[in-house]
Amino acid sequence: LGTASVKFNIIGMQFCPENNRHLLVWGTTEVCVIVLNDACDSIEKTIELEVELEPHECDTEYLLKGMWFPGSESITVVIFGTFIKCFDVKRSSGGPLDKESTCRSTTCLTLAYEDVLIRDAALIFGCQRGTISANSKCSQVDKEGTSTVKLTPLLDTGR
């Protein structure tokens, strides 16, 4: 990240579509959200997302992908081979002036079968009935203001 460094080797990163100062960065077992300064030329804050791998999982479990939740500048989804975790960085520890903080997951989805692995996943953003959809985003939501996001994992079985 220019002259800045993170505590792990980076294998992927994604800017937040809702806030171009938020960057999701991941390695093989670690992930963090980096908040850039207004000029986007240095790191203002690093939020470590606590994956909490068990010691026996550290050798076999690996991070596949990180994604931003559609329409959110604070919710991320992290895909591993056997589970999926969601994080809300607004719930991170530490104050707004702290350079580093941590964030625990708000949701964890785990596969029920031990012999099946996740290979990839996608978040599909859709609108409820009675709405107008354009370019994969809702240009108008229904009376309750709801929309749907579906998590679609691809398993190694091809399903």
Side-chain angles (χ1 to χ4, degrees):
L1 301 174
T3 58
S5 63
V6 292
K7 298 175 184 176
F8 53 88
N9 291 328
I10 298 172
I11 62 166
M13 58 185 173
Q14 184 183 50
F15 272 106
C16 176
E18 304 299 322
N19 185 338
N20 62 358
R21 291 181 51 224
H22 292 185
L23 179 64
L24 182 63
V25 178
W26 63 92
T28 54
T29 59
E30 298 175 276
V31 61
C32 68
V33 172
I34 294 174
V35 180
L36 301 173
N37 67 356
D38 290 334
C40 293
D41 59 2
S42 68
I43 295 175
E44 189 174 285
K45 184 174 187 169
T46 301
I47 304 168
E48 178 187 341
L49 305 183
E50 293 183 354
V51 176
E52 298 173 332
L53 288 177
E54 297 293 327
H56 69 278
E57 294 175 324
C58 291
D59 294 333
T60 58
E61 194 64 66
Y62 54 92
L63 202 153
L64 296 169
K65 182 182 193 178
M67 301 181 280
W68 289 97
F69 198 81
S72 174
E73 65 179 71
S74 67
I75 300 175
T76 63
V77 179
V78 180
I79 313 297
F80 280 82
T82 58
F83 60 90
I84 298 169
K85 288 192 173 190
C86 298
F87 296 87
D88 186 351
V89 296
K90 285 185 180 176
R91 294 181 172 201
S92 64
S93 66
L97 300 177
D98 292 339
K99 288 279 193 187
E100 293 186 13
S101 62
T102 59
C103 181
R104 297 187 67 151
S105 65
T106 57
T107 306
C108 180
L109 306 169
T110 306
L111 292 178
Y113 305 105
E114 291 183 15
D115 58 341
V116 177
L117 295 173
I118 301 168
R119 291 294 175 212
D120 200 357
L123 292 170
I124 302 169
F125 186 75
C127 302
Q128 295 290 332
R129 186 179 308 187
T131 61
I132 300 169
S133 180
N135 298 329
S136 302
K137 293 206 176 194
C138 293
S139 57
Q140 177 183 5
V141 293
D142 64 10
K143 292 177 185 174
E144 291 83 32
T146 60
S147 60
T148 59
V149 176
K150 295 179 182 180
L151 173 65
T152 309
L154 173 64
L155 305 177
D156 64 353
T157 60
R159 294 180 179 225

